[in-house]
Amino acid sequence: MCTILTTDKITDNILNRIAEDHQYNPHGLSVVTYDGANYEILKTLDLNTVLTILRSREYKRIFVHTRNATTWSRGVNATHGFIQGDYVYFHNGIFRSRGALQYPVDSMLLGDILRMTAPDNIQKTLSALGETFANIMIVDTKLDRYHVIRQQSGSLFTDNQS
């Protein structure tokens, strides 16, 4: 299953965790960095690119997603995080509703939901659609905070805590 990780301190342990997670989730990596002023997102298939960027300077916060594709779409464009307005969002697990099936990546369903409601209402909306999932992380780039919606532990790490 995909892994989502966020931390405000990049250590060798964090870099090793990303490398290990990539071994089991080989279908893409994304890193969202926040330097205190700007958010930047990079999607790649190359682990060394991510590790080099994370070692290059200090960040106030990073978000990393290692992808193990559970839907038909592959490649960098299918790698999370996806952007919707002021939000960058990540998901692990599988959405199976008819609505989710219209997208190349099931997680893109969240973008439409974010157009209609606030992050605090995501779980309620997904439940109404009959969706189950593992975890969701939504980064609010305007307010510089993030939301965690967790249904399962072990695949989402905030500041190195599962």
Side-chain angles (χ1 to χ4, degrees):
M1 179 183 308
C2 301
T3 302
I4 305 168
L5 176 143
T6 185
T7 187
D8 61 358
K9 185 170 172 78
I10 301 168
T11 64
D12 287 340
N13 286 342
I14 294 291
L15 297 175
N16 290 337
R17 163 164 234 106
I18 293 167
E20 182 179 318
D21 288 347
H22 180 62
Q23 288 179 344
Y24 299 102
N25 303 308
H27 300 124
L29 287 153
S30 70
V31 61
V32 175
T33 56
Y34 177 61
D35 64 7
N38 298 300
Y39 286 87
E40 293 182 17
I41 186 168
L42 168 77
K43 297 180 181 190
T44 183
L45 299 174
D46 182 47
L47 173 64
N48 289 328
T49 299
V50 169
L51 297 178
T52 299
I53 286 169
L54 294 178
R55 288 181 180 122
S56 69
R57 61 182 191 186
E58 297 214 9
Y59 298 99
K60 295 253 183 202
R61 179 145 303 270
I62 63 160
F63 302 87
V64 177
H65 183 271
T66 58
R67 185 166 192 253
N68 183 14
T70 54
T71 58
W72 49 94
S73 192
R74 301 278 195 275
V76 173
N77 289 337
T79 301
H80 313 198
F82 298 110
I83 300 170
Q84 173 55 49
D86 293 326
Y87 302 110
V88 177
Y89 61 92
F90 309 88
H91 160 252
N92 59 17
I94 303 170
F95 291 140
R96 292 187 167 93
S97 70
R98 190 173 45 196
L101 296 176
Q102 71 180 333
Y103 300 98
V105 179
D106 60 337
S107 301
M108 292 176 169
L109 171 68
L110 290 171
D112 277 350
I113 295 172
L114 281 168
R115 272 192 217 81
M116 298 181 293
T117 192
D120 294 339
N121 297 324
I122 294 288
Q123 189 163 7
K124 183 178 177 182
T125 302
L126 289 171
S127 293
L129 292 172
E131 292 288 8
T132 58
F133 57 91
N135 299 292
I136 297 169
M137 184 173 293
I138 302 169
V139 181
D140 185 328
T141 62
K142 189 172 185 176
L143 298 177
D144 297 327
R145 65 182 200 180
Y146 62 96
H147 305 264
V148 174
I149 304 164
R150 186 186 305 262
Q151 284 191 330
Q152 177 180 323
S153 64
S155 59
L156 186 143
F157 302 90
T158 55
D159 295 312
N160 214 22
Q161 302 296 311
S162 176

